[in-house]
């Protein structure tokens, strides 16, 4: 079983930056893929970015060029660097991990972009 703990959310002004972290309870060497999703009020949860064991990544079109997903294997932690934030990025951000054919989710961290 994998436990995931997100951190780094908060309130930021439009154009600002935040870095989210997702700490895993197991070595992320053993995790096939990890990702960030978000859910805004009244909307479905949507993919933001994913990173695979080999290091390849993919992003939602809405965040390409602004967000960067990465992982630090030594710290068993995944990150999401978010730059040029917009009000429409406001949501609860969740990390997930695909491990032994099971998808695990963190509890989420709130990101609010507002002036």
């Amino acid at each position: 079983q994998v436990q995931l703990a997100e951190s780094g959310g908060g309130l930021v002004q439009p154009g600002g930056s935040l870095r989210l972290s997702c700490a895993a309870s197991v070595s992320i060497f053993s995790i096939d893929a990890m990702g960030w999703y978000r859910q805004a009020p009244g909307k479905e949860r949507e993919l933001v970015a994913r990173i695979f064991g080999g290091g390849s990544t993919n992003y939602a079109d809405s965040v390409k060029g602004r967000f960067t997903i990465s992982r630090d294997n030594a710290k068993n932690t995944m990150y999401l660097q978010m730059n040029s934030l917009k009000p429409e990025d406001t949501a609860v951000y969740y990390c997930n991990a695909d491990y032994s054919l099971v998808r695990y989710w963190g509890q989420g961290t709130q990101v609010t972009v507002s002036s």
Side-chain angles (χ1 to χ4, degrees):
Q1 194 162 1
V2 179
Q3 293 180 329
L4 302 171
E6 301 100 333
S7 61
L11 173 63
V12 63
Q13 292 186 342
S17 298
L18 281 175
R19 188 177 79 157
L20 305 183
S21 300
C22 174
S25 62
V26 300
S27 170
I28 61 175
F29 276 117
S30 60
I31 296 177
D32 300 314
M34 299 182 75
W36 290 97
Y37 285 68
R38 67 187 181 187
Q39 188 166 18
K43 294 187 177 181
E44 293 187 353
R45 192 173 296 188
E46 63 175 3
L47 172 69
V48 176
R50 295 194 80 199
I51 185 165
F52 299 89
S56 60
T57 59
N58 59 33
Y59 295 89
D61 288 343
S62 59
V63 306
K64 281 182 182 176
R66 300 188 298 123
F67 292 10
T68 303
I69 190 171
S70 63
R71 52 197 283 174
D72 185 332
N73 293 336
K75 296 182 179 180
N76 294 330
T77 301
M78 175 181 65
Y79 302 98
L80 185 69
Q81 178 67 44
M82 305 185 294
N83 299 327
S84 302
L85 282 160
K86 305 175 181 180
E88 51 263 43
D89 295 317
T90 295
V92 178
Y93 284 69
Y94 299 89
C95 67
N96 72 8
D98 294 336
Y99 178 77
S100 296
L101 303 179
V102 177
R103 176 161 286 186
Y104 295 90
W105 292 90
Q107 292 299 306
T109 185
Q110 176 71 45
V111 171
T112 302
V113 184
S114 175
S115 55

